[in-house]
Structures are given as C-alpha cells and as structure tokens.
Amino acid sequence: MTTETFEFQVEARQLLQLMIHSVYSNKDVFLRELVSNASDALDKLRLEKLRDDSLDADVSDLHIRIDVDKDARTLTVRDNGIGMAYDEVGQLIGTIANSGTATFLKELREAQEGGDAEGLIGQFGVGFYSGFMVADEMTLVTRRAGEGQGTRWTSRGESTYTLERVDDAPQGTSVTLHLKPADPENELHDYTSPWKIREIVKRYSDFITWPIRMVPEPAGEGDAPEPETLNSMKALWARSRDEVSDDEYHELYKHISHDWREPLETIRLQAEGTFEYQALLFIPSHAPHDLFTRDFRRGVQLYVKRVFIMDDCEALLPPYLRFVKGVVDAQDLSLNVSREILQQDRHIQMMQRRLTKKVLSTIKEFRTKDAERYATFWREFGTALKEGLVTDSENRDAILAVSSFATTHADDEPTTLAQYVERMKDGQEDIYYLTGESRQSIENSPHMEAFRDKGIEVLLLTDPVDEVWVDAVGEYEGKKLRSVAKGEIDLDGEGGEKAGEEREKQAEEYAGLLGWMREQLEEDIKEVRLSARLTVSPACVVADAHDLTPALENMYRAMGQEVPRTKRILELNPDHLLVKGLNQAYKEREDRSGLVESAELLHTLAVLAEGGQPKDPARFVKLVADRLERTL
C-alpha cells in the first residue's frame, strides 16, 4: 500500500513540542484520554447500530482492551467501536485541535503561569496527542464499521505524520505508544507496569459503561490467563449519594465534559411516578473558550435505561444553560429516539422544565449562601444566563433573582435589582441604567453627569445581551427600567434644585439657537433641546424613549438584519460656556454661516463622547485643525 507523508501546521508543531517537553506534571492523563476516546467510539457505534440495523458491524462484545509489551516497551489501547475512514483520520487526527489550536496555545501558556495547565487537554480536543508526553512514536490503526479497508497513521510528534491504507485492520481503533524510558524524577512512570495501569483506570475511568480489559501477567510457564475487567462500570447517577465519593462524581464530569478542572457544583435529581428519570448535572467552574461561538456543543448526555442515546441532547436544557454538563437517564423513552422526536416529546419538555428550575435554584443557593462560588459562577456564566431573560419568560423572575450587575453604588461589588430598589432615593420612580463597552466608558459618559451629581444609582451594563434584556423585562417590582441615554430626563423631583420657572426662562432664551441648529443638522438629528442631564459637558446625543440604541442597531446589522438608521436628539447644556457663547454669537450676528461649522463640531463631539464615530472623519479632522490654527 502507498504511504503518504504530511506536514503538521506551524501551530500544531508548536503544540506538539509543548506536549513532548512535559508541560503537564501528571502524565497519567494520556491513558485517561485514550480510554475516553475509545469509550466515545463505542458509544457512537452502539447508537449507529440502533439507528441502522443494516450496518455490517459486530456489536456483540463492545469493549476496550489495554495490551502491554514489556520487551518492546509498547502500550496499546484498542476498541471495537465506530472506527474512522481514511479521510476522517486525516481530518480528525492529522489536524490538532481543529478549531482552537491558537486559542489552546494562548490558554496553555497562561495556565502554565498559573499552575493550571492540566485542565486544558480534553477541552480543546488535543487529548490524543497527550500520548507524546510518554511516547517517542505513536501508531494508530483504524477501520470504520461497515467498511472493508483500514488506515494506519504514524508520527514521532515532530513535523510530519504518515497515512497508509491497510487491508487487515479489525473494526475499531487501536493506538500503540512506543514508550520512552521510565524517568521517576520527571514523573514519567513505567506504563508497561500492570499495577500502574490498574491504578490509572480505577482513578479516572472506573465509571465508564464499557468493560476495560487487560490480560494479567502469567503466573507461570504455560499459563494463559483470561483478560480481567479493570473498571466497575457502575452508573454513578443510579447509585445512592452515600455510595459515591465526590472524586468519583468529578471524574465522571471530566469524562463527559472534556474539562479536567473540578466542577463548581454537582446536582442530583431523581423523578419517580408516571415518568421516571435520573439526572446528574454539573455546573463547571470555568467557561469554555467557545461558549459564545456558533459551533459550541451544548446539551447533556441522554441515556435510556442506561443505554447511551445522544451525546449533546439540546432539548433537555434551554440554550442559556448550555454550559451545564451531565447525564439524564430516562426509563420510558424509545431507544430509537431522534432529535426531531425529542423536540415534540411531552416527557422531554417536562424534564426540561424540572431540570431548568433545579439548576436555577442551585444558583440561587450560591447567591444566598456562598458568595465566593456565586462570584465565580457569575463571572464565568452570567452573560450566558442573562440570555434567558430574553428567551425564557416562564423563568424570568427566577433568573432576575440570581442576576447581579455592576453599579455606581460600589466599584467592585455587583448588585441585584432587589438591592437597588432598597437603596432608591425618596421619590425615585425608575431603575436607571446605561449600556456601553466598558465600565470606564460608561462612567465617563456625559449622560451620567446629573446622576453623579445628585447621587442617583445607575446600573452599568457592559454585555451585548444587556441591550436586549432590559427591553424584554421592562420593569421590576413596578419600577420601570429606564436608560439614562434615552428620552427626556427630569431629576427635579429626585433631589434636583432647578425650578420650573428658571427652566422656562432658559427655553425662551435659547429658542432661536435650538431652531436654527435643528435646520443646520437636520440630516443627522431629529431635534435639538436643552438638557437636564448635563452638568459638565457642552452637549450629548440621546435616543427617543422607544428608539433602538446605536449598539442595538449595529447588533442587528451584524446578524444580517437591515434596520433603518435612526436620527438622534442633540441636547445642549445651557450652563456651559461654549453653549452660552454660541447662543450669544447667534443673537449678535446677522451672517451666521461661520457658526455652521461650530454647530457641526458640537454635534460630532457629542457623538464621540458616547463612543460613536464621526460621519465624515476627514472633514471632522480638518475642522478641528482649522480651529486650532486660528487660536495660535
């Protein structure tokens, strides 16, 4: 057969070198990774056979087998699962961390500095390559179930790998590691030692539902011992809490999530009665790198009577809880259930409601009883959870109860809406908020000036989803959620001192300027008016109460939805010297053509102050340069 040689990508070569040069202190993880991959392959074959009876595959004795050869110093992990075709080997094995090599390298370097590198192997799909930590060369032989020809992949973990078609490959996959010499000082153990293999399997893979077998060393000459099963294969979710240790739960989590950090919380749920099911859910302690990408695989594993059915059953939890991992084992579903059937199944919908409420109640316990864990959860997953405020009206109150937001009340301590309402000033009727890219940009916004002066608390919302959920929620406990950058703001009833009489006098004084500026800027604005929210800045732009914000407009356009451009309102600070001077010049000059540029500059400065962009940057630069030149 022809052997083809391929080169690894540059990033892949960097990753291999990091693997080979022992970035992980616990090198035992290589075996846990290979066993985990083998278990996945058996799950996939079992499911494929359930869906297609005509598949030419032997499923009578699905298992994982570990073989060692002390003389040749090799260790082989075999499975008789789904296997891979030639093209799949090149795609899945030949390309490291197909969608995340660069991200993995970045996080790996950061994790090394923080001493947490071990948690990254499985998460980025590079578990297979962890074998190079203990091996000088790796050989993979595989044949996809139902196909007649197999494939051999070989590499020394350097710059190249080879692919070769083979005719005598058994169904499934075998991975053979040509082991490096043992080096106890560098935590490199003798992985041809049966006791070491038993120890690793027991520690990491005891719960796997397929038998993991190994032939023990013969007791004497002529002795040919039978393979022994190394794992108990007990479904942890079916055992009582007293029978299972936290370590066992954590290893199950690591196996199904490919995240080798310990979870933040373990949630058990057992439903009895007309429809029985058991659930074992985990809230991770760290958000995966691709949580907000389109390709993120969400959902928990679905079993029916302990038979694996689906790896990422999206119907069991809503999208905003996509970070939750775990297992749900139902008693009364069909073994041949499909994703389409699941979406319509009444029992599945009932399970989703119950599981969702259980997860939300667990998060509520964090908030009320464990501030440290709640802070970790909200930092990692708060943005995702807030999506539920838009999409899940049934649980909106429960989500609001566990949500917290940055606020002007404290620099580093977020607040709940309930806490905000408790602190509201006498006479304050609304909950005020402002959205922006960062806390700093929001705090420096001109829209905040009057609120800062009057000591009125404002929520500082910096996540893209914040632009959407505030409109969806609308109010909390009868208090309207109100943007300080939309509509007219009148704080006179909330601690302000400016009398209505003085306001009317200013409106009369500036009426001419306001009307003239509206005519000059009519292409860009719908109205010019005096502001009650400015105390320092000369001007700001605001949206009408029911208009989309610029950020929301951009968000819709990024999603491919065309929205009409909304004209904003320009507000002027009547107490600012620049505005007073402009008004005086307007009244004194018959020829006001020279003031047009001043009005244009004032508007553009207001747009810049809220983080927007000039309509014509080159013209804006020219106008500013001309003005500076005149001052010299």
Side-chain angles (χ1 to χ4, degrees), residues 76-373:
T76 302
V77 179
R78 310 177 190 273
D79 68 73
N80 54 348
I82 192 70
M84 289 177 281
Y86 185 89
D87 291 341
E88 289 178 303
V89 175
Q91 180 183 359
L92 300 175
I93 303 297
T95 305
I96 296 180
N98 216 356
S99 61
T101 307
T103 309
F104 177 85
L105 287 168
K106 174 177 175 292
E107 292 208 11
L108 180 56
R109 293 186 181 106
E110 292 174 356
Q112 281 182 269
E113 294 172 6
D116 192 25
E118 184 184 330
L120 297 176
I121 283 187
Q123 189 177 344
F124 284 84
V126 297
F128 171 80
Y129 295 91
S130 62
F132 283 114
M133 294 190 297
V134 300
D136 292 318
E137 180 176 300
M138 290 177 64
T139 301
L140 174 143
V141 177
T142 184
R143 176 171 66 82
R144 186 169 182 83
E147 296 191 359
Q149 194 173 54
T151 305
R152 179 183 289 113
W153 177 98
T154 305
S155 177
R156 295 187 62 82
E158 296 168 348
S159 59
T160 63
Y161 63 91
T162 63
L163 282 179
E164 176 186 5
R165 299 182 191 273
V166 293
D167 289 328
D168 56 351
Q171 170 190 303
T173 301
S174 69
V175 180
T176 299
L177 292 83
H178 299 267
L179 297 167
K180 299 175 181 178
D183 184 0
E185 289 186 6
N186 290 314
E187 301 292 327
L188 185 58
H189 303 289
D190 180 4
Y191 294 108
T192 64
S193 169
W195 75 263
K196 184 62 180 176
I197 293 170
R198 287 191 187 92
E199 179 201 11
I200 296 173
V201 170
K202 188 67 179 175
R203 190 190 332 154
Y204 295 123
S205 309
D206 191 56
F207 52 83
I208 284 178
T209 53
W210 306 106
I212 303 171
R213 298 171 183 162
M214 182 177 69
V215 176
E217 292 182 290
E221 288 188 18
D223 179 30
E226 291 293 315
E228 63 174 295
T229 299
L230 306 181
N231 58 323
S232 67
M233 298 179 288
K234 291 181 180 178
L236 298 188
W237 56 89
R239 296 160 62 185
S240 70
R241 179 66 183 89
D242 296 339
E243 296 178 15
V244 186
S245 68
D246 288 340
D247 287 343
E248 288 177 298
Y249 281 138
H250 294 170
E251 289 309 322
L252 175 62
Y253 164 74
K254 294 171 184 178
H255 171 68
I256 61 182
S257 68
H258 301 294
D259 173 13
W260 302 115
R261 301 173 181 88
E262 292 187 354
L264 191 65
E265 182 61 281
T266 301
I267 304 171
R268 286 180 56 93
L269 186 64
Q270 182 160 336
E272 298 178 347
T274 54
F275 181 68
E276 296 184 2
Y277 62 92
Q278 297 158 319
L280 189 57
L281 304 179
F282 302 95
I283 298 178
S285 58
H286 184 80
H289 71 287
D290 55 351
L291 180 63
F292 295 99
T293 65
R294 185 175 299 176
D295 297 331
F296 180 72
R297 291 182 63 190
R298 66 180 181 87
V300 299
Q301 291 185 350
L302 175 63
Y303 283 71
V304 175
K305 298 174 182 174
R306 304 192 191 179
V307 175
F308 174 80
I309 298 296
M310 197 174 295
D311 193 33
D312 48 348
C313 183
E314 298 177 357
L316 287 169
L317 283 172
Y320 65 89
L321 295 179
R322 59 187 175 275
F323 51 85
V324 175
K325 301 299 180 184
V327 172
V328 174
D329 189 354
Q331 301 302 308
D332 301 315
L333 290 176
S334 166
L335 288 175
N336 200 27
V337 71
S338 67
R339 292 183 186 274
E340 292 72 25
I341 294 173
L342 284 175
Q343 292 169 0
Q344 307 299 325
D345 190 280
R346 181 175 60 86
H347 288 137
I348 290 289
Q349 294 170 3
M350 180 180 68
M351 289 164 63
Q352 189 200 74
R353 285 196 295 271
R354 179 91 184 273
L355 294 172
T356 300
K357 290 184 184 301
K358 183 65 175 177
V359 172
L360 292 177
S361 68
T362 301
I363 298 169
K364 186 176 181 180
E365 286 188 17
F366 288 169
R367 198 187 68 74
T368 56
K369 299 178 181 179
D370 194 331
E372 185 176 342
R373 281 206 293 178

Side-chain angles (χ1 to χ4, degrees), residues 359-393:
V359 172
L360 292 177
S361 68
T362 301
I363 298 169
K364 186 176 181 180
E365 286 188 17
F366 288 169
R367 198 187 68 74
T368 56
K369 299 178 181 179
D370 194 331
E372 185 176 342
R373 281 206 293 178
Y374 174 75
T376 299
F377 169 82
W378 192 255
R379 181 182 67 248
E380 299 295 330
F381 304 109
T383 302
L385 189 71
K386 284 187 289 187
E387 295 171 12
L389 295 172
V390 182
T391 60
D392 188 357
S393 57

